[in-house]
Amino acid sequence: MQITETQIAQVNKQIKALLSAESFYGKKLEEAGVTSIQSAEDFQKLPFSEKNDLRNAYPLGLMTAPEEKIVRIHSSSGTTGLPVIIPYTQKDVDDWAVMFKRCYEMAGMTNMDRIQITPGYGLWTAGIGFQAGAEKLGSMVIPMGPGNTDKQLQMMMDMKTTVLGSTSSYALLLAEEIQKRGIKDKIHLKKGIIGSERWGEKMRKRITEELGIEIYDIYGLTEIYGPGIGISCSHDCGMHYWDDYIYIEIIDPVTGEVLPDGELGEIVITTLVKEGAPLIRYRTHDLSRIIPGDCPCGSKFPRLDTIMGRTDDMMKIKGVNVFPAQIEEILKEFPEVSSEYQIRISHLEGKDTMRIYVETNGTVDFLDLAKRIASKVKSRIGFTPLVKVVEIGLLPRSEKKTKRVIDERYE
């Protein structure tokens, strides 16, 4: 997507605010000698920002608006190092709610829906974003937050919840519990708004079938408002993102070169109207592509493909670069395998080994299945993993995000 003249004007406003506030990123622009841009070429010369830059700005080095305008902070759920603190003005909070409301409308939600929100509240952006958008739309919010599955299901039945907001991991856990307890006829869900982790076709299919709902993929990250900056439509061919609030580029993760629409690379986001902590050319490490052409739904908002993984998901085994998505693609070819899997990488007797744990039901020959999967991985990726087949339900389920890759080499 080529940056438009309107977007260039918006970026210049952001640059001006960053320079005059002397915030962390403002100083970075000053060092690069940037005061404004005139063209797409100028824009592509602007320095990238990275999560580490944001950490170095801890606690409030990203704050670009005067403190009396800051109404809230959020923080990313990073597990290593200093957290990233993102300040929001009232306008930022309102803009985010408008974007989220658009997401709900794209999913066909109305003010007669009842949405049960299971992502976390607090410093994390998820729960409160889901709530603000739903309130703006006029839907009834059931603000559960994560965990306590018994109570979630009780409320879902009693309140006749029609929409579920959750991670894919928790949606699967709830679907399995509903089946196990035989309460599907008491559940009134019609739609699921699902986000915050990459999930494959198999998992999507299981959640859709077991809950009997339509599901919509939502996109976002704490540094850029939170979830709600994009969502898939009913045609399920990519996620529309709100290009009046954000500008997206796809770059080659190694060279930093901007790639043409349709090519897979790393998503880079620029906020166009953010006040509290504007970000220019922020490297998300998420892998996707911009889908060229018009969507059959008729929306003019551009589309991102499903998130394929992260540049930092990459595992190096015996000199081969492997992404979890590649393993997932292979497992998709085995209908007898459930959507759940786990990869463990160890260093044994001087060499790296990969173990893949998969689930299936009792009617399958476990050893034969393990052998077939191992051989498919060998032919597709180039090395033979150890495959361990277990009964359905034995791999861990999560109320948040499921950890699928465990690298024990450096523990």
Side-chain angles (χ1 to χ4, degrees):
M1 301 295 300
Q2 186 77 311
I3 193 163
T4 64
E5 278 181 30
T6 305
Q7 289 169 328
I8 285 174
Q10 289 172 317
V11 169
N12 279 330
K13 239 176 131 176
Q14 298 270 275
I15 289 172
K16 199 173 161 194
L18 286 159
L19 289 170
S20 63
E22 294 192 320
S23 67
F24 181 88
Y25 198 71
K27 291 194 181 105
K28 201 169 171 173
L29 290 170
E30 211 173 301
E31 281 162 24
V34 175
T35 52
S36 69
I37 59 164
Q38 310 308 320
S39 63
E41 290 70 44
D42 287 352
F43 179 75
Q44 287 181 13
K45 288 179 192 149
L46 291 174
F48 292 115
S49 42
E50 291 262 11
K51 193 149 192 172
N52 266 344
D53 298 334
L54 275 51
R55 283 201 180 102
N56 293 338
Y58 182 85
L60 285 172
L62 295 173
M63 187 164 77
T64 302
E67 178 146 356
E68 64 270 21
K69 285 196 142 194
I70 300 297
V71 297
R72 185 198 294 172
I73 62 145
H74 279 293
S75 173
S76 65
S77 55
T79 47
T80 53
L82 289 168
V84 171
I85 302 278
I86 305 290
Y88 291 64
T89 64
Q90 188 58 52
K91 180 184 183 295
D92 294 339
V93 168
D94 294 343
D95 285 351
W96 183 22
V98 167
M99 285 188 271
F100 224 126
K101 174 176 179 256
R102 279 185 196 172
C103 287
Y104 288 143
E105 287 168 337
M106 180 75 72
M109 212 170 120
T110 73
N111 59 0
M112 290 307 290
D113 275 299
R114 300 175 182 186
I115 180 167
Q116 191 153 323
I117 298 171
T118 67
Y121 283 77
L123 282 172
W124 201 35
T125 47
I128 204 162
F130 271 87
Q131 177 156 339
E135 287 174 347
K136 205 157 200 62
L137 181 64
S139 308
M140 186 195 290
V141 170
I142 305 158
M144 296 295 293
N148 199 343
T149 299
D150 287 343
K151 195 162 187 191
Q152 295 274 9
L153 294 175
Q154 195 59 55
M155 284 299 258
M156 205 177 272
M157 292 187 286
D158 296 348
M159 294 304 303
K160 297 185 167 52
T161 305
T162 59
V163 181
L164 172 67
S166 83
T167 62
S168 51
S169 295
Y170 198 42
L172 178 67
L173 190 149
L174 289 169
E176 290 181 336
E177 278 301 315
I178 288 164
Q179 292 292 347
K180 220 182 276 177
R181 299 174 191 210
I183 53 174
K184 194 165 177 202
D185 58 333
K186 298 190 178 80
I187 299 290
H188 296 78
L189 288 179
K190 295 194 200 101
K191 299 175 192 290
I193 313 283
I194 314 262
S196 103
E197 58 182 341
R198 195 186 63 74
W199 48 319
E201 203 44 57
K202 224 165 196 172
M203 194 172 192
R204 192 179 297 264
K205 208 165 165 236
R206 276 187 75 195
I207 294 167
T208 308
E209 286 170 3
E210 293 194 19
L211 286 177
I213 57 173
E214 293 168 17
I215 50 183
Y216 296 85
D217 225 334
I218 197 162
Y219 183 56
L221 48 160
T222 302
E223 299 87 335
I224 316 282
Y225 295 101
I229 60 175
I231 193 169
S232 57
C233 63
S234 57
H235 290 267
D236 199 16
C237 51
M239 297 179 285
H240 292 275
Y241 62 90
W242 318 126
D243 64 344
D244 47 347
Y245 289 96
I246 57 170
Y247 177 67
I248 288 185
E249 306 166 89
I250 302 291
I251 64 163
D252 179 312
V254 179
T255 66
E257 178 201 348
V258 178
L259 298 172
D261 290 0
E263 283 197 33
L264 180 68
E266 180 181 344
I267 301 172
V268 171
I269 303 182
T270 296
T271 60
L272 296 171
V273 293
K274 209 162 188 234
E275 295 180 337
L279 284 177
I280 292 178
R281 303 198 83 202
Y282 180 67
R283 294 186 64 160
T284 65
H285 294 287
D286 288 333
L287 293 167
S288 187
R289 63 187 188 104
I290 288 172
I291 299 174
D294 294 332
C295 180
C297 79
S299 168
K300 290 296 162 222
F301 284 106
R303 287 172 297 155
L304 266 181
D305 208 340
T306 308
I307 306 301
M308 314 288 181
R310 291 180 55 78
T311 56
D312 43 12
D313 270 352
M314 195 179 78
M315 310 164 273
K316 202 168 180 100
I317 316 227
K318 300 179 181 176
V320 181
N321 293 341
V322 189
F323 285 95
Q326 290 170 285
I327 302 293
E328 211 163 84
E329 277 301 305
I330 292 167
L331 295 179
K332 209 163 82 179
E333 295 170 27
F334 294 87
E336 59 271 57
V337 167
S338 99
S339 62
E340 295 311 282
Y341 66 92
Q342 191 181 79
I343 298 167
R344 283 184 178 266
I345 305 161
S346 322
H347 193 73
L348 299 171
E349 295 162 6
K351 57 177 194 246
D352 290 343
T353 59
M354 178 195 268
R355 282 168 292 158
I356 303 173
Y357 291 85
V358 298
E359 293 183 338
T360 190
N361 61 42
T363 64
V364 174
D365 180 330
F366 283 17
L367 284 175
D368 173 64
L369 178 60
K371 211 180 286 176
R372 285 186 290 124
I373 292 171
S375 124
K376 183 72 82 171
V377 173
K378 168 85 168 110
S379 72
R380 198 75 58 82
I381 298 176
F383 61 81
T384 308
L386 300 165
V387 179
K388 176 95 174 127
V389 180
V390 298
E391 283 275 2
I392 285 186
L394 277 182
L395 290 179
R397 302 295 194 256
S398 173
E399 291 171 352
K400 293 178 184 167
K401 299 184 193 181
T402 299
K403 194 166 170 56
R404 300 199 182 281
V405 181
I406 298 153
D407 196 335
E408 300 164 329
R409 287 178 293 189
Y410 313 109
E411 286 177 2

